[in-house]
Amino acid sequence: MDTHGKKIILASNSPRRRELLAGLGIEFTVDPETCFKEEYSADIPHVKVPESMSLGKSLGFHRALEPDEILVTSDTMVLCGSEILGKPEDRDDAVRMLRLLSGREHQVITAVTIRDAVRTRTFSVSSDVYFKDLTDQEIDYYIDNYRPFDKAGAYGIQEWIGYIGISRIDGSFYNVMGFPTQRFYEELKAFL
């Protein structure tokens, strides 16, 4: 993709986002430093939380952007019923989350903010994910071998639990992985 001389900066510590953005053939640097605290108001509708967080990460970037720079920030949330599932606090929390997701549908919402020195664009993508009934042994095996403590909802779709546990997805697989590549590509082209 021709970025018209613009330097793309990914403000994320996520190895999955780095991998997915690299897969688009876009050259970028990584600079995750931000002043933003990952908190949100209880008044925000659940489906809008990722957009609020992504925009907050962008606006909290540690320095002003140069005219030739574009900053990309993102946030992913798992919503099961009315409960937001972030990253698990510990093993017990991961077990609780996976038991909650077992045999149910949930939504994965990822928001992305694209910002330069004068413009900002935030959008979100939602995918519906369906888990089979997971046994306690499957949950224990996954947590003990894959340690999903850095993942919203305590799972990575690209890992073992996704192979054996996810029966259906309505929407983007890459969105569930943490970055809606196809939509981002179109949005970035329009932004440029």
Side-chain angles (χ1 to χ4, degrees):
M1 170 186 271
D2 179 11
T3 60
H4 306 287
K6 299 282 188 176
K7 298 173 189 163
I8 308 297
I9 302 166
L10 177 63
S12 176
N13 281 317
S14 167
R16 290 162 301 283
R17 287 195 181 113
R18 292 177 193 174
E19 174 190 344
L20 292 171
L21 186 54
L24 290 173
I26 297 170
E27 288 189 29
F28 63 95
T29 58
V30 176
D31 185 351
E33 197 172 326
T34 182
C35 305
F36 179 68
K37 284 189 163 188
E38 293 199 27
E39 300 172 348
Y40 55 88
S41 167
D43 299 337
I44 297 175
H46 289 343
V47 296
K48 292 293 185 184
V49 169
E51 288 184 10
S52 175
M53 299 289 279
S54 178
L55 181 59
K57 290 175 185 179
S58 182
L59 298 176
F61 191 62
H62 66 99
R63 63 174 177 80
L65 294 175
E66 298 295 326
D68 66 340
E69 293 178 325
I70 294 176
L71 183 69
V72 177
T73 55
S74 187
D75 190 75
T76 299
M77 176 188 80
V78 173
L79 183 61
C80 187
S82 62
E83 185 175 350
I84 294 174
L85 303 179
K87 296 173 184 171
E89 295 174 13
D90 53 27
R91 188 184 192 289
D92 289 342
D93 198 30
V95 169
R96 179 191 70 80
M97 288 183 187
L98 289 172
R99 282 184 179 154
L100 180 66
L101 296 172
S102 176
R104 295 183 65 182
E105 170 195 0
H106 64 277
Q107 287 71 48
V108 177
I109 303 167
T110 301
V112 178
T113 300
I114 304 169
R115 183 170 68 86
D116 64 14
V118 293
R119 297 172 298 151
T120 303
R121 170 80 177 112
T122 300
F123 64 90
S124 62
V125 174
S126 180
S127 301
D128 296 329
V129 181
Y130 299 80
F131 262 108
K132 73 167 191 133
D133 289 318
L134 299 170
T135 67
D136 287 343
Q137 292 82 9
E138 289 166 339
I139 291 171
D140 289 340
Y141 175 84
Y142 175 65
I143 292 170
D144 293 341
N145 287 281
Y146 291 87
R147 307 190 56 74
F149 305 118
D150 65 335
K151 297 173 179 70
Y155 79 92
I157 192 171
Q158 72 281 8
E159 295 176 339
W160 183 83
I161 199 82
Y163 294 177
I164 66 101
I166 293 177
S167 59
R168 189 170 109 214
I169 302 170
D170 292 337
S172 166
F173 173 85
Y174 296 109
N175 182 56
V176 180
M177 239 177 112
F179 198 74
T181 53
Q182 186 276 329
R183 176 76 184 273
F184 172 77
Y185 182 80
E186 295 302 325
E187 294 282 350
L188 182 60
K189 277 198 324 188
F191 193 86
L192 290 167

